[in-house]
Amino acid sequence: MTETVTWRDLQADWQSQGRLDEAGQKAMNEHLEAAFSQKEDPWYLRGLVGVAAWVAAGCFVSFLKLVGLIEADRGVLFWGVLFLGAAAGIRRATARVFPSQLALALGSAGQGLAVAWGTMTYQDSLGVLGGVTVFQGLATAVMYGLYRDTVYRFLAPLVTLGFAAAWILSKPDFHYLLHALIGLETLGVAVILVYGRGGRSLGPLGYSLAAAGPGSILILTLYPDVHVAVGPSSALIALGLVGLVFWLAEGSAGIRREWLFFALGGILFLAVFTTPGLLFALGLLILGYARFDGLLTWLGLIFLGVFLAAYYYDLNVVLAYKSYVLAGSGLVLLFLRALVRRRPWAGEMRS
Amino acid sequence: MASPPRDPDVLDRPADPARVRELVRHGWISPDDRDRALARLLPARAWLAWADRMLLMLGAALVLAGVIFFFAYNWEQFGKWMKFGLIGSGLAIAAGGAAYRPETLTGKILILSSAVLIGPLLAVYGQTYQTGADAYELFAAWALLMIPWVLAGRLAGLWVLWLLIVHLAVLFCLNQVLEPNHVVRFEIVYMGLAALGALFLGLREWGNRQGWDWLSGRWTRIFLLAGLLFFLSIPVLIFITDDWARTLAGGASVVVFLVGLGVHGYRYRRIIPDLFALALVVTALVTAALTLIGRLMFDISENGWMYLFFGLIVVGAASLATLWLRAAGRAMAEEAHD
């Protein structure tokens, strides 16, 4: 479909236009070499390591408990901080495999212990979930900078966001805060993954937010005890999508404005008539394609399926009308496809 | 001219939009240069094709779901010929449309849809004529009738769907007939399913070598291998953890497991180098080994120190697996270069 364009091709383009001088090319080559030489293990290997670390972390905590080194809240904070410090220290001192993986396990155990201490100590004022959320968040904030591990930097914020959602869920008078959480997740994805702020170090956090967003939206839209209008979240995510579309349009020369109207009209339609989950999933799909990012694309596809199924399941109409709505929606999309294919600018794009 | 990079392969890597944007932030290219580069990486026609595909797949899925819900709602009111006629004509129209334009995305979706409709047609037949067929017989018949679609469709997704239906048929048979009547132990059935998976995986690899490009997607290999390893591993893990599972069949499952790991480890290291596939094999081995070690250790004692040692062993096993896989990955990359 599209040709594979290499860095050599791009540099040749820029040089032929006189837009890249020798100094710039040298600096660019060094930057690319440095970027590609940071060979991270493939995601499946990092996932395997992450699972092993959690199992080991559970064993370490069980050891402390069974030998009496932690008892109720005695010793919990001490060992938690010790493990976290050891994890950060080992990770900075060496990149060898066994110490790095031991550090990941110690870090996971330490974070768990620190969170447990905070929860036990402040449960009267914050409640259990509140304590877990606050201390998990604090530990993550501290360790994110100190402990440079992609798996940790993805999982720890994700767990924090999960606990935050659970905390909000436990307080019926504050369910509207789910909109703030979803807004934060959407904004985070925009800032980190769309605009690239924070560089590569914040990348895992961006993916955490991208994975947590649909979870929060699922709670907002499907949890039976949550009775909050979805409008604000739909509006926030729709704004984010509009921003995404404009961001993409700036970078694509030759796109006619008419397609922008199609896109914006589609976003408005989805924001009014469907759920924020569909909008978020669509955003992930678009962003995944724009970034050549398989992970975001798969997240988008999976959650698109989940939210579509949830949306139609939840429609408060009899099965017969649901079938008309489903088939009708499908026909609208197919009609839209046929309409787009017949537009003059679509023909120009294909040529 | 600037000196080339030390690693000459760097510039031959595919460019990606995120890194192009980074170059602007460093000031090496202007925003206009960025825009032109992005237009080359993701031209407008690529977005159009993407939107076209998404609208088609989503639209088709929603229409199909709507049709299914419609029939589900009105089912009791339809006479038997109406039921047969509706599903049969849907199947025929989809198959005809697929035959008309088989290589297009529309054609592929139509052939998938027509293959899916075979199942409801059989269900209606069973319901109408009260054949008393068990669920496994329905799935078995569905799988059998789907074979021409699979061979003609040349579509990886259709092939995988067919495999899922075959597996469901076997699992339902185990659940409904074999286990209640103690005809065969579950270990034998799981090994049978693993053998089936191995057969199809072998077929997939053979087809790929013959140039069946519709099977070339790596996900089919990973999907089949993951399923095969799952069916190989379950009886072994039960053999290790449950004393009642210490039977001849259980012992045989351990032997088959080790042979299976050996064969697929060798295949994906030496014959068809694939690090992801190798990682799956290693994961299965490590999981079984750690389960065995844990069982032995905690049978001796369950005091706290055993947990500490086991935790260190888990980290050690994951480290060894990582080191071995990294070395294998490097070796495979060098061999590919040569």
Side-chain angles (χ1 to χ4, degrees):
Chain A
M1 185 185 62
T2 51
E3 55 167 318
T4 301
V5 179
T6 64
W7 289 106
R8 195 181 298 281
D9 296 329
L10 289 181
Q11 283 192 351
D13 274 352
W14 292 323
Q15 280 171 328
S16 68
Q17 290 153 23
R19 315 286 289 194
L20 183 66
D21 58 19
E22 280 187 27
Q25 188 186 9
K26 184 167 183 282
M28 192 187 295
N29 289 344
E30 283 168 5
H31 173 78
L32 290 173
E33 272 186 313
F36 291 128
S37 70
Q38 282 167 20
K39 284 190 169 61
E40 255 192 342
D41 289 326
W43 65 266
Y44 45 86
L45 203 50
R46 284 181 277 136
L48 174 69
V49 165
V51 169
W54 276 18
V55 171
C59 291
F60 295 153
V61 172
S62 301
F63 158 69
L64 292 175
K65 178 85 180 139
L66 288 171
V67 298
L69 286 172
I70 55 175
E71 192 108 23
D73 58 353
R74 273 193 313 108
V76 176
L77 181 63
F78 170 76
W79 286 103
V81 172
L82 188 68
F83 277 3
L84 284 172
I90 294 171
R91 202 66 181 83
R92 281 176 174 262
T94 178
R96 297 177 78 84
V97 173
F98 181 81
S100 299
Q101 296 192 3
L102 181 63
L104 183 60
L106 288 173
S108 303
Q111 185 141 344
L113 288 169
V115 169
W117 173 84
T119 308
M120 287 187 292
T121 309
Y122 293 95
Q123 67 177 332
D124 290 337
S125 50
L126 292 172
V128 171
L129 280 171
V132 169
T133 305
V134 168
F135 285 91
Q136 170 71 16
L138 283 173
T140 301
V142 167
M143 292 303 291
Y144 196 97
L146 295 174
Y147 187 63
R148 293 177 194 155
D149 184 282
T150 316
V151 174
Y152 174 85
R153 283 175 164 183
F154 171 73
L155 287 175
L158 188 62
V159 168
T160 306
L161 291 164
F163 278 123
W167 189 20
I168 294 171
L169 198 58
S170 69
K171 305 217 171 278
D173 293 340
F174 293 94
H175 282 174
Y176 63 87
L177 286 176
L178 281 169
H179 294 305
L181 185 63
I182 290 166
L184 178 73
E185 286 153 354
T186 307
L187 184 65
V189 169
V191 167
I192 296 170
L193 295 182
V194 175
Y195 288 97
R197 297 288 179 264
R200 295 200 167 260
S201 63
L202 286 188
L205 176 62
Y207 285 102
S208 269
L209 293 163
S216 307
I217 296 169
L218 273 173
I219 292 173
L220 175 72
T221 53
L222 288 183
Y223 203 80
D225 293 338
V226 173
H227 304 293
V228 173
V230 301
S233 282
S234 288
L236 285 168
I237 298 169
L239 269 174
L241 262 182
V242 167
L244 178 64
V245 165
F246 274 108
W247 174 77
L248 286 170
E250 272 177 3
S252 298
I255 287 188
R256 298 295 184 85
R257 297 188 77 74
E258 191 180 271
W259 85 260
L260 268 179
F261 283 117
F262 265 97
L264 295 175
I267 291 168
L268 186 64
F269 177 85
L270 288 173
V272 171
F273 292 109
T274 65
T275 69
L278 282 174
L279 288 168
F280 201 97
L282 187 62
L284 289 179
L285 277 172
I286 295 172
L287 189 57
Y289 190 64
R291 283 172 55 98
F292 292 7
D293 192 322
L295 182 58
L296 287 179
T297 302
W298 274 107
L299 267 178
L301 274 172
I302 289 167
F303 281 113
L304 187 68
V306 167
F307 283 115
L308 269 175
Y311 173 72
Y312 286 106
Y313 180 78
D314 226 27
L315 276 177
N316 199 12
V317 294
V318 297
L319 201 54
Y321 289 116
K322 267 193 207 188
S323 67
Y324 303 147
V325 171
L326 271 170
S329 319
L331 288 172
V332 165
L333 292 179
L334 292 173
F335 174 72
L336 201 62
R337 174 180 178 251
L339 198 67
V340 166
R341 282 163 82 92
R342 278 158 179 72
R343 301 306 298 158
W345 46 264
E348 287 169 26
M349 284 181 185
R350 275 194 293 269
S351 60
Chain B
M1 183 176 295
S3 54
R6 282 183 295 274
D7 178 3
D9 290 338
V10 162
L11 293 184
D12 292 319
R13 285 175 180 253
D16 67 89
R19 258 189 242 283
V20 169
R21 293 190 173 91
E22 274 177 19
L23 303 183
V24 178
R25 282 197 287 277
H26 287 285
W28 297 318
I29 59 172
S30 68
D32 287 342
D33 297 328
R34 173 203 63 200
D35 293 348
R36 273 192 290 274
L38 292 178
R40 197 173 164 188
L41 287 175
L42 264 180
R45 64 178 180 278
W47 280 108
L48 186 67
W50 178 85
D52 188 76
R53 272 198 313 274
M54 294 299 299
L55 287 170
L56 175 63
M57 287 192 302
L58 210 48
L62 287 171
V63 168
L64 200 61
V67 166
I68 290 169
F69 271 95
F70 174 78
F71 288 138
Y73 176 75
N74 290 301
W75 206 241
E76 296 308 318
Q77 283 89 45
F78 293 149
K80 69 176 180 191
W81 294 115
M82 180 71 149
K83 290 177 187 177
F84 280 124
L86 280 169
I87 300 177
S89 53
L91 196 156
I93 290 169
Y100 178 62
R101 300 181 72 179
E103 293 309 316
T104 61
L105 180 61
T106 308
K108 292 180 197 306
I109 287 174
L110 284 173
I111 198 165
L112 193 64
S113 307
S114 71
V116 166
L117 285 172
I118 295 172
L121 187 65
L122 287 171
V124 166
Y125 180 85
Q127 212 180 43
T128 305
Y129 293 106
Q130 295 294 309
T131 57
D134 288 323
Y136 80 89
E137 288 173 302
L138 168 70
F139 282 98
W142 189 357
L144 197 63
L145 290 172
M146 245 180 96
I147 291 173
W149 271 257
V150 173
L151 293 174
R154 297 162 59 82
L155 186 62
L158 184 56
W159 199 57
V160 165
L161 174 67
W162 180 73
L163 288 174
L164 280 170
I165 293 170
V166 167
H167 281 78
L168 279 172
V170 174
L171 285 168
F172 273 120
C173 185
L174 169 72
N175 203 32
Q176 291 167 354
V177 176
L178 300 178
E179 237 185 355
N181 297 325
H182 306 290
V183 172
V184 65
R185 285 187 62 87
F186 79 95
E187 292 98 337
I188 305 296
V189 176
Y190 273 74
M191 282 193 283
L193 285 168
L196 199 63
L199 173 69
F200 289 122
L201 182 57
L203 197 61
R204 183 248 178 236
E205 303 298 4
W206 177 80
N208 205 26
R209 277 199 302 279
Q210 300 307 309
W212 296 357
D213 55 354
W214 55 277
L215 273 180
S216 61
R218 191 206 211 183
W219 69 274
T220 52
R221 171 187 296 154
I222 299 304
F223 178 78
L224 288 168
L225 183 62
L228 185 167
L229 291 172
F230 174 81
F231 288 120
L232 278 180
S233 302
I234 295 300
V236 171
L237 297 179
I238 294 175
F239 180 83
I240 293 171
T241 53
D242 279 327
D243 293 333
W244 64 265
R246 304 281 162 81
T247 62
L248 191 61
S253 71
V254 175
V255 173
V256 169
F257 172 77
L258 292 171
V259 168
L261 289 192
V263 164
H264 291 91
Y266 180 79
R267 170 191 259 167
Y268 293 113
R269 172 62 189 90
R270 295 285 171 202
I271 304 175
I272 311 172
D274 186 330
L275 190 61
F276 194 166
L278 208 53
L280 286 176
V281 174
V282 168
T283 301
L285 180 64
V286 167
T287 305
L290 287 174
T291 306
L292 177 64
I293 292 170
R295 176 68 203 260
L296 292 171
M297 285 177 65
F298 293 111
D299 272 356
I300 296 171
S301 167
E302 283 194 23
N303 78 40
W305 291 96
M306 281 298 183
Y307 282 89
L308 176 64
F309 295 144
F310 186 67
L312 290 170
I313 290 170
V314 168
V315 175
S319 303
L320 272 174
T322 302
L323 280 168
W324 189 83
L325 284 167
R326 279 185 190 169
R330 275 194 302 271
M332 291 193 293
E334 279 167 20
E335 286 156 17
H337 216 260
D338 297 337

